[in-house]
Amino acid sequence: MFTGIVEELGRIVRVPSPGRAGQLEIAATRVLAGTNVGDSIAVNGVCLTATTVSAAGFTADVMPQTLAHSNLGALRAGSPVNLERAMAADGRFGGHIVSGHIDGTGTIRRIRRDQNAVRFAIEAPASIMALIVQRGSVAIDGISLTVAELAADAFEVSIIPHTIEQTTLSHRKPGDAVNLENDVVGKYVQRLLHGVCTTPAEREAANASASPSPLSLSYLSAHGF
C-alpha cells in the first residue's frame, strides 16, 4: 500500500522495445534506502516489484497488462518518474490509501495558473469519472490529490508549487496521458451497489444502465443511520 506522497523524482535509464513487455531500469537514490529485491515501489503510481537493487537505482519488470492500462509504455530513456516506496507499518499517512493498481489513463486537457497554484483539467473515461467525487481523493501518476472541480467527462485538481516542483507534473503538458487511480473506498462501495461489476468495461456498462440508487437521507434515517 502507498499513500500518494512522492518521495523522489527518478529517471528512466533503460526501457523495453516500444510496446513490448520487459524490464525498466530506473536511476534513483532516496527510495533505495531499506529497499531489497522483492520490495514494492510505485512508479508513476504503478506498483512494481524491484528485481535488482544497486547503489544507482533498481530494475522492475512490466507486463503486457501493465502497459495496456498505464502510461508506462510511453516512457523513454531520460523520462522522469514519480517514485514512492510501499508504506511502512509505522509510517506517517500523509495522503490517502493508494494501492498502486491503476484504473486507467486520463488526458490533460488544460493547465492554467491560479495565483500561487496550478490547475490541471483531466479528461477521463466514464468508468473512472463515475468514482470521482467533488473534494474527494484521486491519484494522478501516483500523486495524492484532491478534486477541485467536477464536470461530466473531466475533473480539475489544484496543485501547490511544492508538488509541482517535486513531481512529474512540472514536465506535463496538455495532451499528455496520466495514470489514474480512483479512491479505493469508492470502488468497494460501487461493487456493493452493482454486484459483480469488476472491470472498467463492466462498470461503465452498469453505470449507463443502472437505475437511480435507493440511497437517500430518508432511506438512511429509516434504517438507523
Side-chain angles (χ1 to χ4, degrees):
M1 186 181 76
F2 306 91
T3 70
I5 304 300
V6 174
E7 296 185 275
E8 179 181 1
L9 200 59
R11 290 276 174 181
I12 296 295
V13 176
R14 177 171 51 87
V15 297
S17 300
R20 302 289 298 175
Q23 195 171 70
L24 290 177
E25 182 178 349
I26 301 169
T29 53
R30 185 173 181 182
V31 299
L32 301 178
T35 295
N36 299 304
V37 171
D39 287 348
S40 296
I41 297 178
V43 179
N44 277 0
V46 181
C47 179
L48 297 179
T49 300
T51 53
T52 67
V53 179
S54 70
F58 66 97
T59 61
D61 293 323
V62 288
M63 303 179 295
Q65 175 78 3
T66 304
L67 296 177
H69 291 89
S70 74
N71 62 12
L72 296 190
L75 296 174
R76 298 292 180 266
S79 295
V81 286
N82 297 323
L83 301 177
E84 181 191 356
R85 290 167 291 184
M87 180 183 177
D90 60 348
R92 182 172 294 174
F93 211 122
H96 71 282
I97 298 173
V98 177
S99 68
H101 303 154
I102 301 302
D103 291 302
T105 59
T107 303
I108 298 175
R109 176 183 288 179
R110 181 176 61 254
I111 302 173
R112 64 182 177 90
R113 176 73 60 177
D114 184 17
Q115 297 187 43
N116 69 328
V118 178
R119 293 177 76 99
F120 281 67
I122 311 293
E123 184 177 336
S127 58
I128 291 177
M129 290 303 304
L131 291 172
I132 299 292
V133 180
Q134 187 90 10
R135 306 293 183 266
S137 296
V138 63
I140 300 178
D141 277 349
I143 308 164
S144 175
L145 296 168
T146 301
V147 177
E149 297 292 341
L150 188 60
D153 62 347
F155 64 93
E156 283 195 10
V157 290
S158 183
I159 304 169
I160 62 173
H162 175 79
T163 302
I164 293 287
E165 294 165 3
Q166 300 299 316
T167 69
T168 56
L169 292 179
S170 61
H171 301 268
R172 292 301 189 191
K173 60 185 183 302
D176 283 354
V178 290
N179 294 327
L180 300 176
E181 181 185 333
N182 288 115
D183 189 349
V184 68
V185 175
K187 287 189 276 191
Y188 278 112
V189 170
Q190 186 186 64
R191 179 168 174 79
L192 289 172
L193 291 175
H194 295 302
V196 297
C197 300
T198 57
T199 69
E202 289 173 333
R203 291 197 297 267
E204 190 165 354
N207 290 329
S209 62
S211 56
S213 171
L215 294 178
S216 65
L217 289 177
S218 59
Y219 178 92
L220 293 174
S221 177
H223 289 79
F225 292 94

